């Protein structure tokens, strides 16, 4: 009986810890997988406690992107815009490239997810508009 009480207590504490861990939203945008933006939804670019950069749509099945902490290369981060690139290389060849670009002056941007193994296909894109910090 004592083991069950301890197990339940540990589970409650772990769930409470997860509930407190929240992502810090850095940028909010309207976005679409269509370049015409004919069908759009709300997207957020956020930073979690581990340092991962997460691009999420408002719906459960929306296209998203995760750049793990330590793999990103911040090219630009100032009042004009944000450019973050994460590339995985093997033997000098890039086989995966993820990029987030946002221009704060125009409010436009894009998120790109390119996999070399899928090179016959276009990279997965999310076009962003009306971006605010």
């Amino acid at each position: 009986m004592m083991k069950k009480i301890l197990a339940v207590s540990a589970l409650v504490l772990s769930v409470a810890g997860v509930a407190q861990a929240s992502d810090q939203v850095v940028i909010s945008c309207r976005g679409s997988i269509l370049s015409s933006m004919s069908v759009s939804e709300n997207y957020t670019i956020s930073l979690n406690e581990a340092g991962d950069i997460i691009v999420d749509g408002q719906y459960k099945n929306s296209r998203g992107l995760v750049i793990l902490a330590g793999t990103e290369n911040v090219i630009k981060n100032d009042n004009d815009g944000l450019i973050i690139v994460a590339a995985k290389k093997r033997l000098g060849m890039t086989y995966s490239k993820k990029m987030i670009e946002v221009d704060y002056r125009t409010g436009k941007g894009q998120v790109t997810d390119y996999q070399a193994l899928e090179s016959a296909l276009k990279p997965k894109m999310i076009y962003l508009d009306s971006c605010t910090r």
Side-chain angles (χ1 to χ4, degrees), residues 12-56:
V12 169
L13 288 175
S14 67
V15 170
V18 170
Q20 291 176 354
S22 63
D23 297 342
Q24 177 186 0
V25 174
V26 179
I27 302 170
S28 298
C29 302
R30 294 292 296 161
S32 177
I33 59 172
L34 305 172
S35 61
S36 65
M37 298 287 289
S38 59
V39 178
S40 63
E41 61 182 288
N42 294 323
Y43 276 89
T44 58
I45 301 173
S46 56
L47 184 67
N48 70 8
E49 290 181 3
D52 302 335
I53 302 166
I54 302 166
V55 180
D56 270 333

Side-chain angles (χ1 to χ4, degrees), residues 12-132:
V12 169
L13 288 175
S14 67
V15 170
V18 170
Q20 291 176 354
S22 63
D23 297 342
Q24 177 186 0
V25 174
V26 179
I27 302 170
S28 298
C29 302
R30 294 292 296 161
S32 177
I33 59 172
L34 305 172
S35 61
S36 65
M37 298 287 289
S38 59
V39 178
S40 63
E41 61 182 288
N42 294 323
Y43 276 89
T44 58
I45 301 173
S46 56
L47 184 67
N48 70 8
E49 290 181 3
D52 302 335
I53 302 166
I54 302 166
V55 180
D56 270 333
Q58 76 185 73
Y59 302 114
K60 184 174 117 176
N61 60 349
S62 298
R63 184 176 290 172
L65 179 76
V66 175
I67 297 178
L68 299 176
T71 62
E72 77 278 357
N73 184 11
V74 179
I75 306 294
K76 179 180 180 181
N77 185 14
D78 57 18
N79 289 331
D80 293 334
L82 173 71
I83 300 175
I84 299 173
V85 178
K88 292 182 182 178
K89 296 181 180 183
R90 183 173 290 153
L91 300 173
M93 290 182 52
T94 301
Y95 67 91
S96 172
K97 185 176 183 180
K98 298 177 182 184
M99 187 163 51
I100 301 171
E101 297 177 276
V102 178
D103 186 348
Y104 297 138
R105 289 176 283 149
T106 62
K108 296 187 182 290
Q110 65 184 22
V111 176
T112 307
D113 186 2
Y114 170 76
Q115 302 292 327
L117 299 175
E118 301 170 355
S119 62
L121 304 173
K122 290 184 177 181
K124 296 176 184 173
M125 303 282 290
I126 302 171
Y127 299 95
L128 304 174
D129 194 10
S130 305
C131 294
T132 58

